[in-house]
Amino acid sequence: MVEKRWNYKKLPSSEIVDTLSKELGVSYEIATLLGQRGVGTFDEAKHFFRPSLSDLYDPFLMADMTVAVERLSKAVEQNEKILIYGDYDVDGTTSVAMFYGFLQKYIHQNIEFYIPDRYAEGYGVSQKGIEYAAENGFALIVSLDCGIKSVDKVAWAKEHAVDFIICDHHRPGDELPDAVAVLDPKREDCQYPFKELTGCGVGFKLLQAYCQVKDIDVNLLLPYLDLVVTSISCDIVPIVGENRVLAFYGLQQLNTNPRTGLKALIKSASLEGKMDITKVVFGLGPRINAAGRIRHAYDAVDLMLSEDEQKAEEFARVIGQHNTDRKGLDSSITAEALEMIAQNSDLVAAKSTVLFNEAWHKGVIGIVASRCIEKYHRPTIILTESHGNAAGSARSVPGFDVYDAIEECSEHLIQFGGHTFAAGLTLELNQIDNFKRKFEEVVSRKILQEQLSPLIEIDLALPLSAITDKFHRIMSQMSPFGPQNMTPVFVSHKVQLYGAPIKMKEKHLKFQAFQEGSAAFTCVGFGMVEDFFDKLLEVQTCSICYTIEINEWQGKKSFQLMLKDIKFE
């Protein structure tokens, strides 16, 4: 077992905590959680607990927004053919479903959508895609969640009388494509106040701007927020600022009146109770992704556009089967990858993992990279053969920028792109060994020793007696939880067991725990039997690290502490 690091978040000043506690009438612990999330005044707390659509920024603060709206308006007024082009992942497919769905319903019918084939065309704007547009008389392509690095492709399109509006959120390269408009908050010359929108979020801002100019009721966009929150959840972007507002109202939509396709997905995934970010990430996301991984992402877009309940349920069933197939591939390839590491002492001792197998399925290599990090906590790249080259997915660990590390190895690459913690890359087969050596050298030079150990970010130490109905009710109102506003994690020290621990299915741990003066709480630790069961039989006290959930059984509700780690005193 690799010992996990417990890192306590910085506590806000006592003045902020005292002020919030008095003005809001909340406990010291709740006031502390708010202060850690940047809330320092009554008004800030009001906006935090009650996000408002009026808090959304003016879309025209984004560079190129005016010209983007003008070009879209021209296309509509002159009845030009418009192609809505998106990536094959969750952000890309939700973007296309949102943008195409809204335009087609309210604005413009001379429109199609296009999703590249993961295996035949690869990530981003493809030559095949723009050739399709040119050959079929499309005057305008709106690309969503891709295009920011497609300099050559956009130039080719322009030569063939096809204009581009790019809606992207990835880091630009040194040169921006020569598109009519490039909407990307991460452009260095873009003054838009919020930089962490998803591709779907950028597309939403373009539609918001168009509605403002054309005096279209912006409320017509609100039913599409269930797609926006799906993109926000699954693209693992910070759920703060504008994303928090969009996610808040998106979850409302998802829980009260979700579109037919998402409702069918929720049903097929057997997701019970109120939908939250976690359920979207682990329940909806893999199913939407599975369409593009195993067959074609058109299935996912068709599902999200479907208004026929029976057809939607059939789509959902097919996608569910894709997801089952994906799980089988994921499991077998992960086992092979972990065995490759275990059998090679150099790989075991390395600061990075780069593995290649020409037979691995391209659709699951990103998942396999994440699985490898669960076992060997370090930046990981999984490569497979694709069209005579090696294609790979990279994943990182907290605090380490894998995109920057890959960029330092660019002399060995054909192309690359992505984020701080996830990236994609393509290289020639004869460059794999050179890339491996260079990547390991870069990671070894840049990574800190502590980044090679799993990290648990802890909000604060909490006495078990502080866990009350009121505490949990107020804490729950801090949702939606996600990056930069994670579900609060607590530590309780000198905890005693009430009775003996129990094994569930020989893997999972369950016991009752209390502190002096507190009630006993049920503690559950998934996959923790091997590491902790025997030790718990020997000790009298321990420290537990956990989140708080409500367990409902036979109509009765009770608190349940979901363990993340245990340390012995």
Side-chain angles (χ1 to χ4, degrees), residues 119-372:
Y119 308 107
E121 297 169 76
Y123 167 77
V125 176
S126 70
Q127 186 67 28
K128 182 179 177 181
I130 54 177
E131 285 175 359
Y132 174 84
E135 290 166 3
N136 289 276
F138 287 91
L140 176 64
I141 295 176
V142 179
S143 71
L144 298 148
D145 189 38
C146 58
I148 195 63
K149 285 193 168 183
S150 302
V151 175
D152 294 341
K153 304 285 196 320
V154 172
W156 189 94
K158 188 174 183 178
E159 289 173 3
H160 291 78
V162 180
D163 287 341
F164 253 92
I165 295 174
I166 294 171
C167 299
D168 207 344
H169 69 126
H170 297 96
R171 293 192 206 177
D174 294 334
E175 179 184 358
L176 291 178
D178 186 19
V180 171
V182 178
L183 304 179
D184 188 335
K186 292 190 176 75
R187 281 177 56 171
E188 289 187 5
D189 62 341
C190 182
Q191 301 303 309
Y192 195 72
F194 188 70
K195 302 294 184 182
E196 299 298 335
L197 292 168
T198 59
C200 191
V202 176
F204 181 87
K205 299 305 293 189
L206 174 54
L207 291 177
Q208 182 190 359
Y210 185 88
C211 288
Q212 287 179 202
V213 168
K214 297 299 180 181
D215 201 26
I216 297 170
D217 185 0
V218 176
N219 288 323
L220 294 174
L221 275 171
L222 300 188
Y224 294 85
L225 287 177
D226 57 359
L227 295 171
V228 179
V229 71
T230 303
S231 81
I232 289 171
S233 303
C234 298
D235 226 48
I236 320 297
V237 293
I239 303 185
V240 297
E242 202 159 36
N243 279 345
R244 179 175 170 79
V245 177
L246 295 169
F248 181 87
Y249 286 94
L251 286 173
Q252 278 192 359
Q253 184 71 27
L254 204 54
N255 282 302
T256 57
N257 189 26
R259 66 191 51 254
T260 304
L262 291 183
K263 185 178 180 180
L265 267 191
I266 291 168
K267 181 179 177 181
S268 74
S270 301
L271 296 171
E272 298 178 354
K274 191 175 181 180
M275 291 295 292
D276 57 19
I277 298 296
T278 300
K279 286 181 180 178
V280 175
V281 171
F282 294 104
L284 302 187
R287 283 167 169 76
I288 295 171
N289 264 328
R293 294 184 192 279
I294 305 301
R295 199 166 79 174
H296 201 290
Y298 279 122
D299 288 351
V301 178
D302 285 339
L303 173 67
M304 288 184 278
L305 289 172
S306 176
E307 295 184 358
D308 183 298
E309 195 167 314
Q310 189 171 349
K311 287 182 179 179
E313 289 187 0
E314 176 59 21
F315 268 132
R317 187 196 65 76
V318 171
I319 286 176
Q321 185 57 53
H322 291 339
N323 192 47
T324 300
D325 296 342
R326 187 273 305 167
K327 285 180 180 178
L329 287 168
D330 161 12
S331 180
S332 62
I333 295 173
T334 296
E336 291 176 22
L338 292 174
E339 182 67 15
M340 285 176 67
I341 299 172
Q343 295 297 320
N344 187 316
S345 58
D346 289 338
L347 285 175
V348 171
K351 299 289 178 68
S352 68
T353 297
V354 180
L355 302 177
F356 170 75
N357 184 317
E358 63 183 11
W360 284 344
H361 196 287
K362 187 180 177 184
V364 299
I365 55 177
I367 298 170
V368 172
S370 297
R371 297 281 187 267
C372 289

Side-chain angles (χ1 to χ4, degrees), residues 480-509:
F481 295 118
Q484 295 187 26
N485 181 37
M486 298 298 289
T487 302
V489 176
F490 304 108
V491 162
S492 294
H493 298 292
K494 295 185 178 178
V495 168
Q496 301 178 61
L497 267 63
Y498 185 80
I502 299 170
K503 294 180 182 180
M504 298 186 296
K505 297 182 179 179
E506 295 302 310
K507 294 191 301 184
H508 312 308
L509 188 63

Side-chain angles (χ1 to χ4, degrees), residues 350-397:
K351 299 289 178 68
S352 68
T353 297
V354 180
L355 302 177
F356 170 75
N357 184 317
E358 63 183 11
W360 284 344
H361 196 287
K362 187 180 177 184
V364 299
I365 55 177
I367 298 170
V368 172
S370 297
R371 297 281 187 267
C372 289
I373 289 175
E374 291 173 9
K375 175 76 173 178
Y376 297 95
H377 196 262
R378 60 201 188 195
T380 297
I381 298 175
I382 304 296
L383 298 160
T384 188
E385 191 273 334
S386 177
H387 301 291
N389 291 315
S393 284
R395 298 293 184 269
S396 195
V397 296

Side-chain angles (χ1 to χ4, degrees), residues 440-498:
E440 172 67 14
E441 182 269 312
V442 172
V443 173
S444 297
R445 171 166 42 85
K446 300 182 79 166
I447 200 163
L448 303 176
Q449 186 60 38
E450 57 262 30
Q451 291 171 341
L452 295 168
S453 298
L455 175 70
I456 301 176
E457 292 280 2
I458 296 164
D459 289 82
L460 71 156
L462 188 73
L464 293 179
S465 58
I467 303 174
T468 64
D469 289 336
K470 180 180 179 182
F471 175 85
H472 186 265
R473 185 176 68 254
I474 297 173
M475 185 187 75
S476 298
Q477 292 176 28
M478 296 180 184
S479 65
F481 295 118
Q484 295 187 26
N485 181 37
M486 298 298 289
T487 302
V489 176
F490 304 108
V491 162
S492 294
H493 298 292
K494 295 185 178 178
V495 168
Q496 301 178 61
L497 267 63
Y498 185 80

